[in-house]
Amino acid sequence: MSTLLIVALVGALAVVGYVLGVRRAMASADGDLRLLHSLKGYYGQNVALLVLVPSLLVLVIWMTVQPLLIEQSVLGMISNTDVAQGSSRSLMMADVRRVADGLDVAVAQGAMSRDAASDVRVDFTNVRERLASVGVAVGSTVTQSTLEAAQKFRALAATGNMIRGIVVLLIAAAGFGYALKQTDKDFRARNVVERGILVLLIAAASIAVLTTLGIVFSLIFNTIDFFESFPGADFFFGTRWEPSFSGRGGASDLGFLPLIWGTLYISIIALVVAVPLGLFAAIYLSEYASNSVRSIAKPVLEVLAGIPTIVYGLFALLTVGPLLVNIFGADGLLGVNWMSGGTAAMTAGLVMGIMLIPFVSSLSDDIINAVPQAMRDGSYGLGATQSETIRQVILPAALPGIVGAVLLAASRAIGETMIVVLGAGAAASLSLNPLEAMTTVTAKIVSQLTGDGEFNSPETMVAFALGMTLFVITLALNVVALIIVRKYREQYD
Amino acid sequence: MNDMRIVKRDVDMNDIKISAKGVQVYYGDTHAIKDVNVEIKDKTVTAFIGPSGCGKSTFLRCLNRMNDTIDICRVEGSIQIEGEDIYDKRVDPVQLRAKVGMVFQKPNPFPKSIYDNVAYGPRIHGLARTKADLDEIVEKSLRRGAIWNEVKDRLHAPGTGLSGGQQQRLCIARAVATEPEVLLMDEPCSALDPIATAQVEELIDELRENFSVVIVTHSMQQAARVSQKTAFFHLGNLVEYGETGQIFTNPQDPRTESYITGRIG
């Protein structure tokens, strides 16, 4: 039974339950609204909620757990000898899943009969070509064990889906019956619905949190795979980034240091640009600007935050890069030859700094405005000028919050990709010269995954390790920022 | 030169310190203060009383031009401190505020150490040549603020960690540290408990030896306890101004009588 059908049936049952719930409640009160404990709609909602929530919850859990269980049982069928060189168990498993899905698609399109699809002999059924003909590409030739595993996978999934449909519908029907039986003029439907809504809101909040966990887990497993085929010490402490794609042969140097160096260098240039400009803009806007100036300048500044980063990237590539070459390049204004091409750490850093100005300024502006007026009055009352007040009272009071804002900006700078791809170049180098091309972790993740390398090679899998490391770094920055911001918040409450 | 000033002060001890003539204050279109004339004496505590919104705080803030920080506020008329018009174009409001200190309704210590709070004004105005000078000013101010004994062992603890009454006395110490000639207090006890209030009132009485003190208060008992002169404001007008004893026992204006007996407010 397909998921869509189950959801549709449960939904229909909920609608029917709503109508019947309302009717039953009205009937129990002899049609007099005033005798009901709650408004009649609540009785209907109570039934609908009891039909929908438990059954759909079970459906979601089932859909998450079933593939895991099936994979566990199928995984046993793949023996170690079948795991091809340079591959891994989880990659084999991906193949199995792909073949199984492909067979389903083939049956659905009528390219294979149900019996042929259940056939387990590779040599006769010629699985790879047949699947290709219905638009499912399988990476390598399908081996006997893969096909057997795929067939087992299909069988288990089909049984699982059938049981799932029955269980979910039974739960929905049970909820339907129970809720209708409860419905009576004295039943406190309003209170029950209130609690139901609370549960729904909690569920919405937890989905956001669980997604974060999901992202972490999806990275973790691939990262572990990578470290099985590539030594961790070489990754974390290697000073050379020279991936060799399978076509050219030879071992790769996948050193993390040049990339994180590029990331930090470019981020620091960006922050050196963004923090003073953003902070001064915030001070002007919150302390000096008249209302009319602020009402125009603030939104205009915040428009900067709405520009897509790829546009900033083009700005770096077409305007800032050539401009810097005109100054620092050969035949440039300074008569030095420090810069050979437009793509450089400096180009990307400057443009990224411009991108970050609105983040710093708008967060700092809020924080400066949150400093109580009493602080300013106290300082002015002692004969301090405006800038003395800002320097000695307002900024120290707002400092923790401003540090938080800067850290948030920093984690954005570290995660930025497009400006780097277009502005900083692609060469990973451990150079101190900001006018030289550099690259960052994010830019390399893109290039490793979009290349034509095999998916199961360390050269590709390194992207997950890079992503995971970056995630940990930005997470740490965000946590520090949050702690600082929270500490600040307690000060004036 | 300092000595000469002290001698001079002794001579005209009961002279007029602040003289306001025909003061009008507008907040946008609202006419908040209507033609107020008042003469405040040196080394005296003058209390401003009156119902909420009568303009007493607004008038107080005119005396050190704190109203300049409010965009829509406009002040007309003349206010002279020792014969000098403080709204003259040549007067720097920042310098003026060093001379006319202010203590606010809610204690507002800066989020700095107790020492730095008191040293703030002297540092800005360059009153101390050496670190020892500054230490001396801080100690003297804290003693004048009647809080020295409580904080001498923790001068470098944050000022925000003190109790409300201590914070307010710290703010008074901070205000006297710049050696002002006039001390303005805007309901300095309204956020304090009775014990802290009593301490601050005692302190105000001591401050009278060195400063001219102007205090806005909602408590008529407080006005009666601490002040020598009282001004009663009502709806932006200065209704009556005179000796405190006379205002509370024998008011000339029926509105004053109604207010102090609790019939209007």
Side-chain angles (χ1 to χ4, degrees), chain A residues 88-134:
Chain A
S88 71
R89 221 159 240 278
S90 71
L91 288 170
M92 291 287 291
M93 203 51 229
D95 268 357
V96 168
R97 231 174 293 138
R98 235 174 137 60
V99 171
D101 289 348
L103 288 171
D104 285 341
V105 172
V107 172
Q109 291 189 355
M112 263 181 173
S113 71
R114 209 169 275 276
D115 291 338
S118 310
D119 205 329
V120 291
R121 286 165 309 164
V122 189
D123 38 347
F124 292 143
T125 49
N126 203 5
V127 178
R128 193 179 180 190
E129 280 73 37
R130 281 179 173 234
L131 289 184
S133 71
V134 293

mmCIF file of all heavy atoms in Angstrom, chain A residues 88-134:
data_model
loop_
_atom_site.group_PDB
_atom_site.id
_atom_site.type_symbol
_atom_site.label_atom_id
_atom_site.label_comp_id
_atom_site.label_asym_id
_atom_site.label_seq_id
_atom_site.Cartn_x
_atom_site.Cartn_y
_atom_site.Cartn_z
ATOM 1 N N SER A 88 33.368 0.091 -0.269
ATOM 2 C CA SER A 88 33.099 -0.229 1.121
ATOM 3 C C SER A 88 31.706 -0.823 1.218
ATOM 4 O O SER A 88 30.932 -0.781 0.277
ATOM 5 C CB SER A 88 33.208 1.030 1.979
ATOM 6 O OG SER A 88 32.115 1.865 1.682
ATOM 7 N N ARG A 89 31.419 -1.361 2.398
ATOM 8 C CA ARG A 89 30.147 -2.007 2.639
ATOM 9 C C ARG A 89 28.978 -1.044 2.372
ATOM 10 O O ARG A 89 28.003 -1.397 1.726
ATOM 11 C CB ARG A 89 30.110 -2.448 4.098
ATOM 12 C CG ARG A 89 29.534 -3.775 4.353
ATOM 13 C CD ARG A 89 30.031 -4.262 5.698
ATOM 14 N NE ARG A 89 30.764 -5.493 5.528
ATOM 15 C CZ ARG A 89 30.157 -6.672 5.422
ATOM 16 N NH1 ARG A 89 28.862 -6.747 5.467
ATOM 17 N NH2 ARG A 89 30.859 -7.759 5.263
ATOM 18 N N SER A 90 29.129 0.192 2.843
ATOM 19 C CA SER A 90 27.989 1.108 2.706
ATOM 20 C C SER A 90 27.796 1.489 1.235
ATOM 21 O O SER A 90 26.684 1.746 0.797
ATOM 22 C CB SER A 90 28.203 2.349 3.560
ATOM 23 O OG SER A 90 29.218 3.143 2.996
ATOM 24 N N LEU A 91 28.879 1.479 0.466
ATOM 25 C CA LEU A 91 28.727 1.783 -0.960
ATOM 26 C C LEU A 91 28.054 0.621 -1.680
ATOM 27 O O LEU A 91 27.218 0.806 -2.571
ATOM 28 C CB LEU A 91 30.086 2.078 -1.580
ATOM 29 C CG LEU A 91 30.650 3.424 -1.135
ATOM 30 C CD1 LEU A 91 32.098 3.566 -1.574
ATOM 31 C CD2 LEU A 91 29.810 4.559 -1.701
ATOM 32 N N MET A 92 28.431 -0.616 -1.270
ATOM 33 C CA MET A 92 27.759 -1.797 -1.824
ATOM 34 C C MET A 92 26.268 -1.720 -1.523
ATOM 35 O O MET A 92 25.414 -2.007 -2.362
ATOM 36 C CB MET A 92 28.328 -3.076 -1.195
ATOM 37 C CG MET A 92 29.741 -3.389 -1.593
ATOM 38 S SD MET A 92 29.863 -3.966 -3.279
ATOM 39 C CE MET A 92 29.057 -5.563 -3.113
ATOM 40 N N MET A 93 25.990 -1.303 -0.297
ATOM 41 C CA MET A 93 24.599 -1.220 0.138
ATOM 42 C C MET A 93 23.847 -0.203 -0.716
ATOM 43 O O MET A 93 22.691 -0.418 -1.094
ATOM 44 C CB MET A 93 24.588 -0.786 1.619
ATOM 45 C CG MET A 93 23.346 -1.159 2.382
ATOM 46 S SD MET A 93 22.914 -2.878 2.231
ATOM 47 C CE MET A 93 21.199 -2.689 1.815
ATOM 48 N N ALA A 94 24.527 0.886 -1.066
ATOM 49 C CA ALA A 94 23.905 1.884 -1.927
ATOM 50 C C ALA A 94 23.561 1.271 -3.273
ATOM 51 O O ALA A 94 22.503 1.531 -3.855
ATOM 52 C CB ALA A 94 24.843 3.074 -2.103
ATOM 53 N N ASP A 95 24.479 0.426 -3.775
ATOM 54 C CA ASP A 95 24.223 -0.277 -5.039
ATOM 55 C C ASP A 95 22.987 -1.162 -4.930
ATOM 56 O O ASP A 95 22.133 -1.177 -5.815
ATOM 57 C CB ASP A 95 25.433 -1.143 -5.412
ATOM 58 C CG ASP A 95 26.395 -0.369 -6.305
ATOM 59 O OD1 ASP A 95 26.048 0.788 -6.642
ATOM 60 O OD2 ASP A 95 27.451 -0.915 -6.651
ATOM 61 N N VAL A 96 22.919 -1.905 -3.822
ATOM 62 C CA VAL A 96 21.780 -2.807 -3.610
ATOM 63 C C VAL A 96 20.482 -2.009 -3.644
ATOM 64 O O VAL A 96 19.517 -2.367 -4.323
ATOM 65 C CB VAL A 96 21.925 -3.543 -2.257
ATOM 66 C CG1 VAL A 96 20.626 -4.255 -1.894
ATOM 67 C CG2 VAL A 96 23.092 -4.495 -2.294
ATOM 68 N N ARG A 97 20.493 -0.894 -2.946
ATOM 69 C CA ARG A 97 19.280 -0.077 -2.883
ATOM 70 C C ARG A 97 18.904 0.427 -4.262
ATOM 71 O O ARG A 97 17.754 0.446 -4.656
ATOM 72 C CB ARG A 97 19.541 1.119 -1.946
ATOM 73 C CG ARG A 97 18.475 1.292 -0.888
ATOM 74 C CD ARG A 97 18.856 2.374 0.080
ATOM 75 N NE ARG A 97 20.014 2.015 0.884
ATOM 76 C CZ ARG A 97 20.994 2.847 1.173
ATOM 77 N NH1 ARG A 97 20.988 4.077 0.693
ATOM 78 N NH2 ARG A 97 21.996 2.447 1.927
ATOM 79 N N ARG A 98 19.913 0.801 -5.016
ATOM 80 C CA ARG A 98 19.673 1.347 -6.350
ATOM 81 C C ARG A 98 19.090 0.283 -7.272
ATOM 82 O O ARG A 98 18.142 0.537 -8.031
ATOM 83 C CB ARG A 98 21.008 1.841 -6.926
ATOM 84 C CG ARG A 98 20.911 3.280 -7.350
ATOM 85 C CD ARG A 98 22.224 3.840 -7.776
ATOM 86 N NE ARG A 98 22.026 4.641 -8.983
ATOM 87 C CZ ARG A 98 21.226 5.693 -9.034
ATOM 88 N NH1 ARG A 98 20.546 6.057 -7.969
ATOM 89 N NH2 ARG A 98 21.089 6.386 -10.152
ATOM 90 N N VAL A 99 19.654 -0.908 -7.189
ATOM 91 C CA VAL A 99 19.130 -1.994 -8.039
ATOM 92 C C VAL A 99 17.691 -2.310 -7.646
ATOM 93 O O VAL A 99 16.809 -2.442 -8.505
ATOM 94 C CB VAL A 99 20.020 -3.252 -7.906
ATOM 95 C CG1 VAL A 99 19.354 -4.427 -8.596
ATOM 96 C CG2 VAL A 99 21.398 -2.995 -8.465
ATOM 97 N N ALA A 100 17.447 -2.373 -6.337
ATOM 98 C CA ALA A 100 16.093 -2.700 -5.888
ATOM 99 C C ALA A 100 15.104 -1.649 -6.360
ATOM 100 O O ALA A 100 14.049 -1.969 -6.927
ATOM 101 C CB ALA A 100 16.078 -2.792 -4.361
ATOM 102 N N ASP A 101 15.460 -0.370 -6.186
ATOM 103 C CA ASP A 101 14.576 0.706 -6.645
ATOM 104 C C ASP A 101 14.382 0.613 -8.153
ATOM 105 O O ASP A 101 13.280 0.792 -8.672
ATOM 106 C CB ASP A 101 15.171 2.081 -6.298
ATOM 107 C CG ASP A 101 15.106 2.337 -4.811
ATOM 108 O OD1 ASP A 101 14.413 1.561 -4.124
ATOM 109 O OD2 ASP A 101 15.756 3.293 -4.344
ATOM 110 N N GLY A 102 15.498 0.332 -8.858
ATOM 111 C CA GLY A 102 15.441 0.244 -10.316
ATOM 112 C C GLY A 102 14.478 -0.835 -10.759
ATOM 113 O O GLY A 102 13.680 -0.636 -11.686
ATOM 114 N N LEU A 103 14.539 -1.978 -10.076
ATOM 115 C CA LEU A 103 13.637 -3.072 -10.452
ATOM 116 C C LEU A 103 12.187 -2.648 -10.247
ATOM 117 O O LEU A 103 11.319 -2.914 -11.093
ATOM 118 C CB LEU A 103 13.957 -4.318 -9.623
ATOM 119 C CG LEU A 103 15.266 -5.018 -10.007
ATOM 120 C CD1 LEU A 103 15.598 -6.103 -9.004
ATOM 121 C CD2 LEU A 103 15.188 -5.592 -11.407
ATOM 122 N N ASP A 104 11.924 -1.955 -9.140
ATOM 123 C CA ASP A 104 10.567 -1.467 -8.897
ATOM 124 C C ASP A 104 10.106 -0.544 -10.016
ATOM 125 O O ASP A 104 8.982 -0.661 -10.517
ATOM 126 C CB ASP A 104 10.509 -0.713 -7.557
ATOM 127 C CG ASP A 104 10.529 -1.673 -6.380
ATOM 128 O OD1 ASP A 104 10.221 -2.868 -6.609
ATOM 129 O OD2 ASP A 104 10.856 -1.240 -5.260
ATOM 130 N N VAL A 105 11.006 0.374 -10.407
ATOM 131 C CA VAL A 105 10.654 1.319 -11.474
ATOM 132 C C VAL A 105 10.363 0.557 -12.764
ATOM 133 O O VAL A 105 9.387 0.831 -13.470
ATOM 134 C CB VAL A 105 11.802 2.334 -11.690
ATOM 135 C CG1 VAL A 105 11.524 3.195 -12.912
ATOM 136 C CG2 VAL A 105 11.966 3.210 -10.460
ATOM 137 N N ALA A 106 11.235 -0.443 -13.044
ATOM 138 C CA ALA A 106 11.083 -1.206 -14.280
ATOM 139 C C ALA A 106 9.733 -1.923 -14.315
ATOM 140 O O ALA A 106 9.048 -1.943 -15.333
ATOM 141 C CB ALA A 106 12.221 -2.219 -14.411
ATOM 142 N N VAL A 107 9.365 -2.491 -13.175
ATOM 143 C CA VAL A 107 8.073 -3.185 -13.124
ATOM 144 C C VAL A 107 6.940 -2.189 -13.311
ATOM 145 O O VAL A 107 5.999 -2.406 -14.080
ATOM 146 C CB VAL A 107 7.910 -3.924 -11.774
ATOM 147 C CG1 VAL A 107 6.493 -4.480 -11.646
ATOM 148 C CG2 VAL A 107 8.930 -5.034 -11.670
ATOM 149 N N ALA A 108 7.076 -1.037 -12.643
ATOM 150 C CA ALA A 108 6.012 -0.043 -12.734
ATOM 151 C C ALA A 108 5.850 0.455 -14.153
ATOM 152 O O ALA A 108 4.739 0.717 -14.618
ATOM 153 C CB ALA A 108 6.335 1.139 -11.800
ATOM 154 N N GLN A 109 6.962 0.537 -14.909
ATOM 155 C CA GLN A 109 6.870 1.043 -16.283
ATOM 156 C C GLN A 109 6.516 -0.054 -17.278
ATOM 157 O O GLN A 109 6.339 0.193 -18.461
ATOM 158 C CB GLN A 109 8.206 1.680 -16.688
ATOM 159 C CG GLN A 109 8.490 2.967 -15.926
ATOM 160 C CD GLN A 109 9.682 3.681 -16.495
ATOM 161 O OE1 GLN A 109 10.350 3.173 -17.399
ATOM 162 N NE2 GLN A 109 9.952 4.861 -15.968
ATOM 163 N N GLY A 110 6.487 -1.250 -16.811
ATOM 164 C CA GLY A 110 6.135 -2.361 -17.699
ATOM 165 C C GLY A 110 7.293 -2.865 -18.520
ATOM 166 O O GLY A 110 7.106 -3.655 -19.441
ATOM 167 N N ALA A 111 8.524 -2.412 -18.210
ATOM 168 C CA ALA A 111 9.673 -2.875 -18.980
ATOM 169 C C ALA A 111 10.065 -4.292 -18.558
ATOM 170 O O ALA A 111 10.785 -4.987 -19.266
ATOM 171 C CB ALA A 111 10.848 -1.927 -18.788
ATOM 172 N N MET A 112 9.613 -4.718 -17.397
ATOM 173 C CA MET A 112 9.943 -6.053 -16.895
ATOM 174 C C MET A 112 8.667 -6.647 -16.330
ATOM 175 O O MET A 112 7.846 -5.923 -15.748
ATOM 176 C CB MET A 112 10.950 -5.934 -15.749
ATOM 177 C CG MET A 112 12.387 -6.121 -16.129
ATOM 178 S SD MET A 112 13.348 -5.976 -14.627
ATOM 179 C CE MET A 112 14.927 -6.422 -15.225
ATOM 180 N N SER A 113 8.531 -7.876 -16.468
ATOM 181 C CA SER A 113 7.378 -8.506 -15.817
ATOM 182 C C SER A 113 7.719 -8.707 -14.351
ATOM 183 O O SER A 113 8.883 -8.681 -13.958
ATOM 184 C CB SER A 113 7.078 -9.853 -16.473
ATOM 185 O OG SER A 113 8.103 -10.746 -16.121
ATOM 186 N N ARG A 114 6.709 -8.875 -13.541
ATOM 187 C CA ARG A 114 6.922 -9.074 -12.121
ATOM 188 C C ARG A 114 7.827 -10.288 -11.856
ATOM 189 O O ARG A 114 8.707 -10.261 -11.012
ATOM 190 C CB ARG A 114 5.559 -9.277 -11.444
ATOM 191 C CG ARG A 114 5.511 -8.822 -10.010
ATOM 192 C CD ARG A 114 4.095 -8.810 -9.534
ATOM 193 N NE ARG A 114 3.422 -7.559 -9.875
ATOM 194 C CZ ARG A 114 3.516 -6.455 -9.125
ATOM 195 N NH1 ARG A 114 4.250 -6.458 -8.052
ATOM 196 N NH2 ARG A 114 2.882 -5.353 -9.467
ATOM 197 N N ASP A 115 7.605 -11.340 -12.657
ATOM 198 C CA ASP A 115 8.411 -12.553 -12.451
ATOM 199 C C ASP A 115 9.857 -12.323 -12.834
ATOM 200 O O ASP A 115 10.771 -12.732 -12.121
ATOM 201 C CB ASP A 115 7.835 -13.700 -13.304
ATOM 202 C CG ASP A 115 6.486 -14.135 -12.763
ATOM 203 O OD1 ASP A 115 6.254 -13.865 -11.562
ATOM 204 O OD2 ASP A 115 5.690 -14.696 -13.528
ATOM 205 N N ALA A 116 10.044 -11.660 -13.982
ATOM 206 C CA ALA A 116 11.416 -11.413 -14.433
ATOM 207 C C ALA A 116 12.168 -10.574 -13.409
ATOM 208 O O ALA A 116 13.358 -10.798 -13.161
ATOM 209 C CB ALA A 116 11.392 -10.697 -15.788
ATOM 210 N N ALA A 117 11.467 -9.655 -12.808
ATOM 211 C CA ALA A 117 12.118 -8.791 -11.836
ATOM 212 C C ALA A 117 12.512 -9.570 -10.596
ATOM 213 O O ALA A 117 13.476 -9.244 -9.926
ATOM 214 C CB ALA A 117 11.179 -7.647 -11.452
ATOM 215 N N SER A 118 11.749 -10.637 -10.311
ATOM 216 C CA SER A 118 12.067 -11.420 -9.118
ATOM 217 C C SER A 118 13.154 -12.445 -9.391
ATOM 218 O O SER A 118 13.599 -13.147 -8.495
ATOM 219 C CB SER A 118 10.823 -12.136 -8.606
ATOM 220 O OG SER A 118 9.766 -11.231 -8.503
ATOM 221 N N ASP A 119 13.544 -12.562 -10.656
ATOM 222 C CA ASP A 119 14.576 -13.528 -11.012
ATOM 223 C C ASP A 119 15.912 -13.098 -10.435
ATOM 224 O O ASP A 119 16.216 -11.924 -10.381
ATOM 225 C CB ASP A 119 14.684 -13.605 -12.552
ATOM 226 C CG ASP A 119 15.244 -14.949 -12.945
ATOM 227 O OD1 ASP A 119 16.032 -15.499 -12.160
ATOM 228 O OD2 ASP A 119 14.861 -15.432 -14.016
ATOM 229 N N VAL A 120 16.675 -14.072 -9.971
ATOM 230 C CA VAL A 120 17.901 -13.703 -9.286
ATOM 231 C C VAL A 120 19.156 -14.001 -10.101
ATOM 232 O O VAL A 120 20.249 -13.838 -9.617
ATOM 233 C CB VAL A 120 18.002 -14.423 -7.927
ATOM 234 C CG1 VAL A 120 16.962 -13.864 -6.984
ATOM 235 C CG2 VAL A 120 17.868 -15.903 -8.100
ATOM 236 N N ARG A 121 18.999 -14.480 -11.377
ATOM 237 C CA ARG A 121 20.220 -14.843 -12.091
ATOM 238 C C ARG A 121 20.726 -13.665 -12.917
ATOM 239 O O ARG A 121 20.022 -13.146 -13.779
ATOM 240 C CB ARG A 121 19.960 -16.044 -12.986
ATOM 241 C CG ARG A 121 19.842 -17.347 -12.193
ATOM 242 C CD ARG A 121 19.235 -18.414 -13.042
ATOM 243 N NE ARG A 121 17.996 -17.938 -13.649
ATOM 244 C CZ ARG A 121 17.418 -18.533 -14.675
ATOM 245 N NH1 ARG A 121 17.948 -19.580 -15.230
ATOM 246 N NH2 ARG A 121 16.280 -18.079 -15.155
ATOM 247 N N VAL A 122 21.919 -13.236 -12.622
ATOM 248 C CA VAL A 122 22.476 -12.061 -13.288
ATOM 249 C C VAL A 122 22.671 -12.316 -14.775
ATOM 250 O O VAL A 122 22.344 -11.480 -15.611
ATOM 251 C CB VAL A 122 23.844 -11.708 -12.671
ATOM 252 C CG1 VAL A 122 24.312 -10.379 -13.215
ATOM 253 C CG2 VAL A 122 23.762 -11.685 -11.177
ATOM 254 N N ASP A 123 23.257 -13.460 -15.070
ATOM 255 C CA ASP A 123 23.666 -13.696 -16.443
ATOM 256 C C ASP A 123 22.486 -13.717 -17.412
ATOM 257 O O ASP A 123 22.586 -13.315 -18.558
ATOM 258 C CB ASP A 123 24.465 -15.001 -16.549
ATOM 259 C CG ASP A 123 23.903 -16.071 -15.632
ATOM 260 O OD1 ASP A 123 23.076 -15.709 -14.762
ATOM 261 O OD2 ASP A 123 24.276 -17.242 -15.783
ATOM 262 N N PHE A 124 21.323 -14.218 -16.944
ATOM 263 C CA PHE A 124 20.197 -14.297 -17.870
ATOM 264 C C PHE A 124 19.438 -12.984 -17.993
ATOM 265 O O PHE A 124 19.045 -12.579 -19.065
ATOM 266 C CB PHE A 124 19.221 -15.407 -17.428
ATOM 267 C CG PHE A 124 19.842 -16.762 -17.597
ATOM 268 C CD1 PHE A 124 19.598 -17.786 -16.676
ATOM 269 C CD2 PHE A 124 20.678 -17.022 -18.681
ATOM 270 C CE1 PHE A 124 20.176 -19.014 -16.836
ATOM 271 C CE2 PHE A 124 21.246 -18.265 -18.838
ATOM 272 C CZ PHE A 124 20.997 -19.281 -17.904
ATOM 273 N N THR A 125 19.218 -12.348 -16.865
ATOM 274 C CA THR A 125 18.321 -11.172 -16.923
ATOM 275 C C THR A 125 19.034 -9.891 -17.318
ATOM 276 O O THR A 125 18.386 -8.929 -17.692
ATOM 277 C CB THR A 125 17.608 -10.979 -15.584
ATOM 278 O OG1 THR A 125 18.603 -11.047 -14.560
ATOM 279 C CG2 THR A 125 16.552 -12.003 -15.369
ATOM 280 N N ASN A 126 20.396 -9.888 -17.221
ATOM 281 C CA ASN A 126 21.119 -8.740 -17.748
ATOM 282 C C ASN A 126 20.630 -7.424 -17.128
ATOM 283 O O ASN A 126 20.207 -6.500 -17.820
ATOM 284 C CB ASN A 126 20.927 -8.697 -19.265
ATOM 285 C CG ASN A 126 22.064 -7.927 -19.901
ATOM 286 O OD1 ASN A 126 22.995 -7.530 -19.196
ATOM 287 N ND2 ASN A 126 21.986 -7.727 -21.193
ATOM 288 N N VAL A 127 20.712 -7.400 -15.830
ATOM 289 C CA VAL A 127 20.031 -6.355 -15.062
ATOM 290 C C VAL A 127 20.494 -4.944 -15.424
ATOM 291 O O VAL A 127 19.679 -4.039 -15.607
ATOM 292 C CB VAL A 127 20.257 -6.601 -13.556
ATOM 293 C CG1 VAL A 127 19.605 -5.501 -12.749
ATOM 294 C CG2 VAL A 127 19.679 -7.939 -13.184
ATOM 295 N N ARG A 128 21.810 -4.798 -15.605
ATOM 296 C CA ARG A 128 22.306 -3.427 -15.758
ATOM 297 C C ARG A 128 21.720 -2.740 -16.998
ATOM 298 O O ARG A 128 21.243 -1.599 -16.925
ATOM 299 C CB ARG A 128 23.833 -3.457 -15.851
ATOM 300 C CG ARG A 128 24.415 -2.060 -15.685
ATOM 301 C CD ARG A 128 25.916 -2.068 -15.746
ATOM 302 N NE ARG A 128 26.426 -0.703 -15.577
ATOM 303 C CZ ARG A 128 27.671 -0.387 -15.781
ATOM 304 N NH1 ARG A 128 28.550 -1.297 -16.113
ATOM 305 N NH2 ARG A 128 28.066 0.855 -15.630
ATOM 306 N N GLU A 129 21.729 -3.462 -18.139
ATOM 307 C CA GLU A 129 21.230 -2.866 -19.380
ATOM 308 C C GLU A 129 19.733 -2.585 -19.274
ATOM 309 O O GLU A 129 19.246 -1.556 -19.697
ATOM 310 C CB GLU A 129 21.506 -3.778 -20.575
ATOM 311 C CG GLU A 129 22.923 -3.687 -21.094
ATOM 312 C CD GLU A 129 23.914 -4.366 -20.155
ATOM 313 O OE1 GLU A 129 23.560 -5.415 -19.581
ATOM 314 O OE2 GLU A 129 25.023 -3.833 -19.965
ATOM 315 N N ARG A 130 19.042 -3.560 -18.699
ATOM 316 C CA ARG A 130 17.585 -3.379 -18.603
ATOM 317 C C ARG A 130 17.224 -2.170 -17.747
ATOM 318 O O ARG A 130 16.316 -1.416 -18.079
ATOM 319 C CB ARG A 130 16.952 -4.628 -18.000
ATOM 320 C CG ARG A 130 16.800 -5.742 -19.017
ATOM 321 C CD ARG A 130 16.204 -6.939 -18.332
ATOM 322 N NE ARG A 130 15.891 -7.953 -19.302
ATOM 323 C CZ ARG A 130 14.696 -8.499 -19.409
ATOM 324 N NH1 ARG A 130 13.730 -8.120 -18.611
ATOM 325 N NH2 ARG A 130 14.463 -9.421 -20.316
ATOM 326 N N LEU A 131 17.955 -2.021 -16.650
ATOM 327 C CA LEU A 131 17.679 -0.872 -15.783
ATOM 328 C C LEU A 131 18.027 0.423 -16.502
ATOM 329 O O LEU A 131 17.310 1.420 -16.398
ATOM 330 C CB LEU A 131 18.475 -0.975 -14.479
ATOM 331 C CG LEU A 131 17.990 -2.060 -13.526
ATOM 332 C CD1 LEU A 131 18.778 -2.000 -12.233
ATOM 333 C CD2 LEU A 131 16.509 -1.928 -13.245
ATOM 334 N N ALA A 132 19.139 0.415 -17.244
ATOM 335 C CA ALA A 132 19.532 1.614 -17.974
ATOM 336 C C ALA A 132 18.438 2.010 -18.963
ATOM 337 O O ALA A 132 18.193 3.200 -19.192
ATOM 338 C CB ALA A 132 20.847 1.369 -18.701
ATOM 339 N N SER A 133 17.769 1.023 -19.528
ATOM 340 C CA SER A 133 16.748 1.329 -20.535
ATOM 341 C C SER A 133 15.540 2.037 -19.931
ATOM 342 O O SER A 133 14.810 2.728 -20.630
ATOM 343 C CB SER A 133 16.302 0.052 -21.250
ATOM 344 O OG SER A 133 15.532 -0.719 -20.341
ATOM 345 N N VAL A 134 15.322 1.876 -18.620
ATOM 346 C CA VAL A 134 14.210 2.618 -18.016
ATOM 347 C C VAL A 134 14.713 3.840 -17.257
ATOM 348 O O VAL A 134 13.986 4.449 -16.470
ATOM 349 C CB VAL A 134 13.353 1.732 -17.067
ATOM 350 C CG1 VAL A 134 12.615 0.672 -17.852
ATOM 351 C CG2 VAL A 134 14.209 1.127 -15.965
#
